[in-house]
Amino acid sequence: DAGITQSPRHKVTETGTPVTLRCHQTENHRYMYWYRQDPGHGLRLIHYSYGVKDTDKGEVSDGYSVSRSKTEDFLLTLESATSSQTSVYFCAISGTTGELFFGEGSRLTVL
Amino acid sequence: AQRVTQPEKLLSVFKGAPVELKCNYSYSGSPELFWYVQYSRQRLQLLLRHISRESIKGFTADLNKGETSFHLKKPFAQEEDSAMYYCALRAGGAQKLVFGQGTRLTINP
């Protein structure tokens, strides 16, 4: 497996609370991504990063923000979690081949 | 905008039978197509990509630009093929992948 870890792996929180998910890589890859996985919707891109402090929005970015202060870390923040953000979140990285390597996923439940 | 459609949410076939998972895309340029697979309790992983034109675990997929399709095929399904399969597209020059809705394949003994 590519050196990519996500934390926390599971989290239950209440509506309106902030949540931060962390993605850490040891591969020194330039590109990092956050996707959410929902039944019937597949994988949808939230945000991605193409370098330190360089990020861009994906197709479902509303309600999410990201930060990348170091090559190895890509943080996804829900400023005020809502029930619609209950999902499984996947981090991915890619290098020169263009292949995506995924983390194990973080299951978030917003009550 | 790019879009990937996998029309079957669920697909069930018997062991030894042929299997075909459908994938259609919409993109006016020259796409790069992928199939990713997620086995139970494992990470999503690349199964194959059209530019490599290789067969992985007995699966093949041919890009048909006329029909804008990239269907995944295997002549004889095995129980270990049971998994979630995602078709994905990369538009020319982009670093983002657009995924389809996924097809859950179940191989019955």
Side-chain angles (χ1 to χ4, degrees), chain A residues 23-68:
Chain A
C23 178
H24 179 78
Q25 63 148 330
T26 58
E27 304 297 317
N28 200 36
H29 283 337
R30 178 182 176 188
Y31 295 93
M32 299 186 75
Y33 309 82
W34 277 108
Y35 285 88
R36 60 178 290 175
Q37 182 187 47
D38 302 288
H41 293 278
L43 288 160
R44 292 179 291 174
L45 182 64
I46 305 170
H47 282 280
Y48 68 104
S49 170
Y50 45 96
V52 173
K53 297 190 185 332
D54 291 322
T55 65
D56 205 352
K57 296 179 180 180
E59 60 184 306
V60 289
S61 59
D62 288 348
Y64 301 94
S65 63
V66 291
S67 65
R68 191 167 178 201

Side-chain angles (χ1 to χ4, degrees), chain A residues 33 35 37 97-98 100 102, chain B residues 36 43 49 86 90 95 97:
Chain A
Y33 309 82
Y35 285 88
Q37 182 187 47
T97 66
L100 289 189
F102 284 86
Chain B
Y36 280 81
R43 305 176 186 227
R49 56 200 301 176
Y86 290 98
R90 171 179 288 124
Q95 288 298 329
L97 256 62

Side-chain angles (χ1 to χ4, degrees), chain B residues 14-43:
Chain B
F14 286 101
K15 177 182 175 181
V19 62
E20 180 179 49
L21 289 80
K22 291 184 169 51
C23 172
N24 290 92
Y25 67 91
S26 62
Y27 176 58
S28 57
S30 185
E32 189 175 357
L33 274 298
F34 304 80
W35 277 99
Y36 280 81
V37 60
Q38 187 177 27
Y39 300 104
S40 179
R41 298 187 180 85
Q42 294 187 27
R43 305 176 186 227

Side-chain angles (χ1 to χ4, degrees), chain A:
Chain A
D1 288 333
I4 176 170
T5 56
Q6 294 182 227
S7 60
R9 295 288 315 284
H10 301 273
K11 186 171 182 64
V12 179
T13 191
E14 294 187 348
T15 297
T17 59
V19 176
T20 295
L21 305 180
R22 178 179 183 243
C23 178
H24 179 78
Q25 63 148 330
T26 58
E27 304 297 317
N28 200 36
H29 283 337
R30 178 182 176 188
Y31 295 93
M32 299 186 75
Y33 309 82
W34 277 108
Y35 285 88
R36 60 178 290 175
Q37 182 187 47
D38 302 288
H41 293 278
L43 288 160
R44 292 179 291 174
L45 182 64
I46 305 170
H47 282 280
Y48 68 104
S49 170
Y50 45 96
V52 173
K53 297 190 185 332
D54 291 322
T55 65
D56 205 352
K57 296 179 180 180
E59 60 184 306
V60 289
S61 59
D62 288 348
Y64 301 94
S65 63
V66 291
S67 65
R68 191 167 178 201
S69 58
K70 299 184 291 185
T71 298
E72 56 266 35
D73 290 326
F74 191 34
L75 304 181
L76 176 70
T77 298
L78 291 66
E79 300 291 347
S80 178
T82 66
S83 58
S84 65
Q85 293 175 312
T86 292
S87 185
V88 181
Y89 292 86
F90 285 96
C91 178
I93 61 176
S94 72
T96 55
T97 66
E99 177 182 349
L100 289 189
F101 297 95
F102 284 86
E104 294 178 286
S106 296
R107 184 176 295 276
L108 175 66
T109 301
V110 183
L111 302 176

Side-chain angles (χ1 to χ4, degrees), chain B residues 85-99:
Chain B
Y85 290 80
Y86 290 98
C87 183
L89 174 150
R90 171 179 288 124
Q95 288 298 329
K96 301 179 290 185
L97 256 62
V98 175
F99 285 83

Side-chain angles (χ1 to χ4, degrees), chain B residues 2-4 6 15-16 19-20 22 24 27 34 39-40 47 51-52 56 58 64 70 72 74 85 88 91 97 100:
Chain B
Q2 302 91 46
R3 177 177 289 183
V4 177
Q6 294 178 248
K15 177 182 175 181
V19 62
E20 180 179 49
K22 291 184 169 51
N24 290 92
Y27 176 58
F34 304 80
Y39 300 104
S40 179
L47 181 61
I51 59 173
S52 60
I56 305 294
N64 186 322
F70 188 57
L72 184 68
K74 185 170 183 176
Y85 290 80
L97 256 62

